[in-house]
């Protein structure tokens, strides 16, 4: 029995030494240490042994089993270590390689234009205020002297949500709301930048969604000359000291009198070229004196208070400043277009 156990140990150790992989090792474990293996068989046959032999053989069988198990475990560890080594070799990371550049975003061209406009007006004492993009019919139209039968209120021109709610078609309701909030007894000096929506078919010069910056100054004794002074200052700071402005009569329902402002063409300096369509002037914004009915509706007594208002489209201003020929470039987000104006 002793010899049988010793030769089993030798045999098993030989098989372990010959094992080429983990599967071979498992095979050795099953055939020598498994329930149907020779060691178990020896232990089962212990009953047939004499009293004296039993503990001796039992101890030896346990030792042999442990020796085989240890041999298998050691070989298994060696296989695993070799496997890990191989992995570390093949998956080695070269920490000296330069990293992939991280794509850093920057503010959109329109954001930069609006910020620049805001800074100029803040410098002239205007406050920046914002309001809701979903507006009531009252603040979007009624309070701005656009009565129920006005053509601008046509369902075809605006995005109505319900009979009473729509996507604002201009930022003017923010001014109307501010005047209401100030209850007709303190001056308003504000600009409101923001998104506006109109039911238009998109093309090179039209977009169903665009941005506006509008301004309002209401106080005692505000005159047209104040409007001209503020807009002249803005035009020179934004477009360049050499630019001249001119005001032409116009019409808006919320201002009376109303004007449109042109700046002199920087390409031909007023001589006439293709940029200014041979006029020497380029239209950049509209404005006027706030209509007395608009003041009245917002709670300001038109006999005591007067005001000027103006509005401009940052897309148009950016197009003029950078020679951009299609308004859709602002909204299609072609990274090659946007990168040209990335100041980050
Ligand atoms: C109140 C009173 C008056 C805002 C004004 C304009 C003239 C104007 C357009 C220019 C191009 C909008 O971006 S655009 O499409 N705007 O010409 N906007 S006066 O007048 C107001 C606003 C609010 C309470």
């Amino acid at each position: 029995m002793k010899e049988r156990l010793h030769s089993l140990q030798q045999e098993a150790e030989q098989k372990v030494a010959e094992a080429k992989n983990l599967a071979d090792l498992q095979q050795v474990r099953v055939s020598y240490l498994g329930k149907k293996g020779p060691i178990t068989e020896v232990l089962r046959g212990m009953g047939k042994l004499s009293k004296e032999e039993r503990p001796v053989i039992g101890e030896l069988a346990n030792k042999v089993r442990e020796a085989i198990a240890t041999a298998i475990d050691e070989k298994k560890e060696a296989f695993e270590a070799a496997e890990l080594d191989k992995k570390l070799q093949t998956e080695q990371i070269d920490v000296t390689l330069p990293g992939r550049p991280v794509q850093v975003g920057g503010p959109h061209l329109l954001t930069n234009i609006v910020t620049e406009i805001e800074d100029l007006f803040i410098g002239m004492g205007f406050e920046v205020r914002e309001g809701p993009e979903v507006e009531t019919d009252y603040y979007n139209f009624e309070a701005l002297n656009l009565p129920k039968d006005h053509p601008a209120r046509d369902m075809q021109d605006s995005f109505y949500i319900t009979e009473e709610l729509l996507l604002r078609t201009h930022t003017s309701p923010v001014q109307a709301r501010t005047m209401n909030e100030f209850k007709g007894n303190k001056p308003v000096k504000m600009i409101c930048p923001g998104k506006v929506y109109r039911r238009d078919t998109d093309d090179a010069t039209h977009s169903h969604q665009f941005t506006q910056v509008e301004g309002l100054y209401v106080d005692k004794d505000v005159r047209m000359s104040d409007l001209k002074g503020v807009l002249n200052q803005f035009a020179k700071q934004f477009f360049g000291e050499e630019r001249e402005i001119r005001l032409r009569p116009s019409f808006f329902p919320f201002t009376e009198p109303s004007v449109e402002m042109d700046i002199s063409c920087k390409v031909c300096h007023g001589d006439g070229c293709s940029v200014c369509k041979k006029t020497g002037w380029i239209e950049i914004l509209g404005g006027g004196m706030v209509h007395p009915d608009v003041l009245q509706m917002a709670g300001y007594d038109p006999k005591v208070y007067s005001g000027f208002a103006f509005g401009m489209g940052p897309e148009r201003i950016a197009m003029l400043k950078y020679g951009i020929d299609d308004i859709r470039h602002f909204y299609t987000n072609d990274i090659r277009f946007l990168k040209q104006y990335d100041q980050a």
Side-chain angles (χ1 to χ4, degrees), residues 143-144 170-173 175-176 179 196 198 210-216 252 254-255 258-260 283-288 290-291 294 308-314 316:
L144 294 157
H170 44 192
T171 53
S172 316
Q175 284 124 296
M179 286 200 286
V196 300
R198 290 190 193 166
F210 57 102
T211 51
Q212 271 193 348
V213 178
E214 288 193 329
L216 175 72
F252 302 108
F254 23 79
T255 48
S258 302
V259 292
E260 271 171 326
E283 184 194 319
I284 58 161
L285 53 80
V290 179
H291 197 292
V294 173
F308 69 68
F310 57 88
M312 64 186 98
R316 181 172 162 75

Side-chain angles (χ1 to χ4, degrees), residues 9 13 16 25 29 33 62-78:
Q9 183 176 346
E13 282 172 351
V16 169
L25 273 184
R29 193 189 293 277
L33 306 178
N62 279 334
K63 274 191 182 150
V64 167
R65 191 168 53 184
E66 250 167 57
I68 297 173
T70 308
I72 293 173
D73 287 346
E74 280 173 3
K75 186 81 186 225
K76 188 174 171 227
E77 271 171 33

